[in-house]
Amino acid sequence: MKKIALRFLVLFFCVLLTALPALSVDNPVDDLAGVFSTGFVSDLSRYAQLMREKLGIPFSVVTRHFLGGKNIQTYANQTLELLPDSDKTILLVLVIGEESYAVAIGDESHQFLSPEKAEALLNDYFRAPYLSDRAYEKAVASFTLQAGNYLEGRLGIRMNAASSLSPYTKSVADELVLPTIQPHNSENIFGSIFENASKSREDAKRYDEDARYAEEDDEKGLSLFQIALIGFVLYKIFGRGKKNNKQGKGCGPLGWIFGAWGVSKFFGWRK
């Protein structure tokens, strides 16, 4: 009977050990759900180590597929109690299959990061990429960096970390695609300018000559042919009455032409 009870006890502790996160000072990330890449686990662990060393506040992350109906906040609190430096540690728990998450904060760290502030950071930086986009690395990286920045301000300590987590906070949709500006050939630019300037000068010169010729034509007045034509037209209109033709009276075409010549001289119409 004692052997059976001993075996049962050993089996119970084995199950309990497998259920507990494999977290330590050197390994602050326990990704049993397998949602993180190897590179991300390494970068996240490095940042968590900086938080421990510079700020004195350890940071840990645990992922699980399911908890079998267990309350996630209760699980997070119980898991926190089993970690080294549990009074100072901040623990983030993700249960992927149940789409839930929780933060547990050690008693000594409450004065620097309250549960209310942690929830606000989760709502602002974690919730959307975690639930809507299933971007688990982006969600965790965004929350971790914001929590780190907040703690730096509260403690007045700078970690001076060129954070390797920053690239994980961005997605393809976040990248701005700027239009490509094609370089111009300076020779083509100036050649085009000078070509246009030369053409403009030629057009202006041609316009000036046309205007001068038109002005000169206006100044020259009527030609001899134009005066003769005017006289002949006047003769046709006014000098060919039937009565005058029968009696042999009136001026002939030459008379009208010379009359137009004299009038043009008087009024200055002649060229």
Side-chain angles (χ1 to χ4, degrees):
M1 187 67 179
K2 290 182 180 180
K3 290 182 179 181
I4 295 176
L6 184 58
R7 289 176 181 176
F8 177 79
L9 212 60
V10 171
L11 180 61
F12 173 77
F13 280 110
C14 288
V15 172
L16 182 61
L17 288 174
T18 56
L20 294 177
L23 294 175
S24 65
V25 174
D26 298 328
N27 182 32
V29 182
D30 185 25
D31 181 30
L32 283 184
V35 293
F36 299 150
S37 65
T38 303
F40 179 72
V41 172
S42 177
D43 292 334
L44 180 59
S45 299
R46 189 178 302 112
Y47 190 85
Q49 290 288 356
L50 282 174
M51 291 183 64
R52 173 186 287 274
E53 294 171 3
K54 302 292 186 178
L55 305 180
I57 299 178
F59 181 79
S60 297
V61 177
V62 172
T63 70
R64 294 287 182 270
H65 278 297
F66 298 99
L67 292 181
K70 188 173 184 177
N71 180 272
I72 187 172
Q73 190 61 60
T74 301
Y75 174 81
N77 294 337
Q78 292 176 350
T79 302
L80 177 65
E81 294 176 359
L82 299 172
L83 299 180
D85 296 328
S86 60
D87 290 341
K88 300 178 181 179
T89 301
I90 298 173
L91 173 65
L92 174 63
V93 177
L94 288 67
V95 182
I96 307 302
E98 298 174 4
E99 295 187 335
S100 58
Y101 57 90
V103 169
I105 303 172
D107 294 338
E108 292 186 20
S109 295
H110 273 197
Q111 57 182 318
F112 306 117
L113 180 66
S114 66
E116 293 77 17
K117 180 60 179 180
E119 285 297 327
L121 293 177
L122 286 171
N123 288 332
D124 292 341
Y125 302 100
F126 180 89
R127 182 179 180 83
Y130 178 73
L131 294 179
S132 302
D133 303 333
R134 303 295 190 271
Y136 304 118
E137 293 183 355
K138 179 180 179 180
V140 174
S142 299
F143 171 77
T144 304
L145 287 177
Q146 292 300 324
N149 292 338
Y150 179 78
L151 289 170
E152 283 182 328
R154 290 297 307 274
L155 294 169
I157 300 174
R158 301 296 298 176
M159 289 190 286
N160 296 324
S163 177
S164 56
L165 290 181
S166 296
Y168 298 101
T169 64
K170 300 177 182 179
S171 59
V172 176
D174 297 329
E175 299 293 335
L176 294 178
V177 180
L178 299 178
T180 302
I181 301 176
Q182 297 294 338
H184 293 285
N185 189 320
S186 59
E187 295 181 358
N188 292 340
I189 293 177
F190 290 113
S192 176
I193 292 174
F194 292 136
E195 181 181 353
N196 293 337
S198 177
K199 186 176 184 300
S200 298
R201 285 196 298 270
E202 292 178 0
D203 292 342
K205 183 178 179 181
R206 188 179 301 109
Y207 175 79
D208 182 66
E209 292 176 352
D210 293 343
R212 187 169 62 254
Y213 291 152
E215 184 178 356
E216 290 176 356
D217 288 343
D218 291 340
E219 291 177 353
K220 289 178 180 178
L222 298 174
S223 65
L224 179 61
F225 175 77
Q226 290 173 328
I227 293 172
L229 181 61
I230 292 172
F232 184 76
V233 171
L234 291 175
Y235 163 73
K236 285 290 186 179
I237 296 173
F238 300 106
R240 296 187 61 187
K242 292 180 178 181
K243 183 178 179 180
N244 291 338
N245 289 340
K246 290 179 179 181
Q247 297 177 357
K249 299 179 179 180
C251 297
L254 292 177
W256 284 95
I257 292 173
F258 285 119
W261 176 265
V263 172
S264 66
K265 177 67 175 178
F266 179 78
F267 286 101
W269 296 344
R270 190 184 308 172
K271 289 183 179 180

